[in-house]
Amino acid sequence: MIEALQLRDIELIYPTRRGTIQALSNVNLSVREGEFVAILGPSGCGKSTLLKLAAGLLPASGGQIILGGHPLSGPGKQTGVVFQKPNLLPWKTVLENVLLPARTLGLAIAPARLRAYQMLELVGLAEFAANYPFELSGGMQQRVGIARMLLHDPQLLLMDEPFAALDALSRETLMLELQRIWEQQRKSVLFITHSIQEAVFLADRVLVMSPRPGTLVEDLTIPLPRPRTLETLAAQDFMQLCQHLRSHFTHA
Ligand code: ADP
């Protein structure tokens, strides 16, 4: 299988006024084409740092990042990113918000407009295209963020705890939505979360990170059949996988 993303021997050290903080140490991972990989780890272990590195938003202190077969040299068109908050501009409509990156990415405006509308259809928000962000719920706003991430048809999706700020029911709905979108679009995904359930439900593989300096301590394949449904959450094998992963974070 072809690798969409590879991180090799990655080190990340933040310089601070009171010395240095080693956020990541010896991180090696790969995401294959079309694969959904979740990274699970405790708060502060370096998950967001790792995602910023993969997005080309932060240079590594050591090691190599290979994106689509080439060394990564900065933010580019191959990746789409969503963060915990969708950061929508309140004075722009939903459609305009999805279109925001078009100029930076150098997209021709007419086809980008059509694509933005199609992506809003994909996330179930076409009828809200002319609304403003304040008229949408938190879950709907995050879906606008997902539509925006897909605007330029990136090969690799980088998602940093995209559902963390939502209530439990919206989180469940969006998990199902994201699975549907991923099955339709077959992108490669690197999904950061501190929710064991979310990781097991969504991913083909779950990578577990240790506390800081973050490094990968397990690479667990999730063999659950797809599409996964709300019944999956109560299935014996789902719960066993969650239980196994939980053992990394509970210390008797
Ligand atoms: P996570 O996403 O797993 O919560 P982060 O990647 O945000 O973790 O942070 C990892 C570690 O690096 C934390 O100890 C955090 O305090 C530190 N850190 C993150 N960003 C910076 C920064 N810009 N400068 C200094 N330290 C930072």
Side-chain angles (χ1 to χ4, degrees):
M1 227 186 227
I2 305 165
E3 313 283 357
L5 174 72
Q6 278 182 290
L7 270 61
R8 294 185 192 149
D9 306 326
I10 290 297
E11 305 284 327
L12 195 287
I13 297 164
Y14 286 114
T16 72
R17 260 183 284 168
R18 282 186 292 156
T20 56
I21 292 181
Q22 175 132 24
L24 296 173
S25 167
N26 192 29
V27 172
N28 286 281
L29 71 86
S30 62
V31 180
R32 297 177 201 117
E33 263 184 22
E35 191 182 29
F36 198 122
V37 174
I39 296 198
L40 182 66
S43 193
C45 73
K47 300 184 298 299
S48 295
T49 300
L50 195 149
L51 197 106
K52 284 180 200 148
L53 285 170
L57 298 170
L58 190 67
S61 313
Q64 237 194 338
I65 301 177
I66 313 285
L67 183 69
H70 303 284
L72 179 69
S73 57
K77 281 192 186 179
Q78 280 164 289
T79 48
V81 189
V82 282
F83 296 103
Q84 208 177 100
K85 295 210 179 102
N87 297 322
L88 305 179
L89 298 181
W91 60 90
K92 291 202 178 272
T93 65
V94 164
L95 186 74
E96 286 163 353
N97 266 290
V98 176
L99 264 172
L100 270 184
R103 185 173 297 188
T104 328
L105 291 164
L107 308 180
I109 198 66
R113 230 184 147 71
L114 178 64
R115 167 95 184 160
Y117 192 77
Q118 287 166 342
M119 292 305 100
L120 282 174
E121 272 181 336
L122 180 72
V123 300
L125 288 180
E127 62 186 295
F128 293 91
N131 286 68
Y132 287 88
F134 77 89
E135 297 170 297
L136 309 184
S137 69
M140 289 158 87
Q141 291 189 19
Q142 198 51 288
R143 281 193 221 154
V144 177
I146 292 173
R148 186 174 55 193
M149 163 182 78
L150 294 167
L151 178 70
H152 58 295
D153 200 15
Q155 286 314 301
L156 175 69
L157 308 182
L158 300 170
M159 309 184 80
D160 190 3
E161 305 206 38
F163 310 147
L166 304 176
D167 63 87
L169 286 178
S170 307
R171 273 213 300 271
E172 262 181 26
T173 311
L174 272 194
M175 253 175 18
L176 291 165
E177 284 270 294
L178 179 60
Q179 177 182 236
R180 177 182 60 77
I181 292 166
W182 173 75
E183 293 203 322
Q184 243 173 287
Q185 306 263 315
R186 281 290 158 180
K187 307 283 186 195
S188 315
V189 182
L190 188 62
F191 183 95
I192 303 279
T193 182
H194 60 246
S195 158
I196 294 174
Q197 285 210 335
E198 221 168 75
V200 174
F201 185 89
L202 286 166
D204 295 317
R205 268 191 306 137
V206 177
L207 310 180
V208 181
M209 269 177 94
S210 70
R212 188 171 68 78
T215 193
L216 297 173
V217 290
E218 181 161 9
D219 180 341
L220 180 70
T221 299
I222 307 296
L224 300 172
R226 291 186 185 275
R228 297 168 189 166
T229 63
L230 290 181
E231 283 78 63
T232 307
L233 296 170
Q236 189 71 23
D237 41 2
F238 176 84
M239 287 199 275
Q240 274 167 359
L241 289 161
C242 291
Q243 195 59 35
H244 170 77
L245 288 169
R246 195 163 288 117
S247 64
H248 283 283
F249 309 107
T250 49
H251 304 285

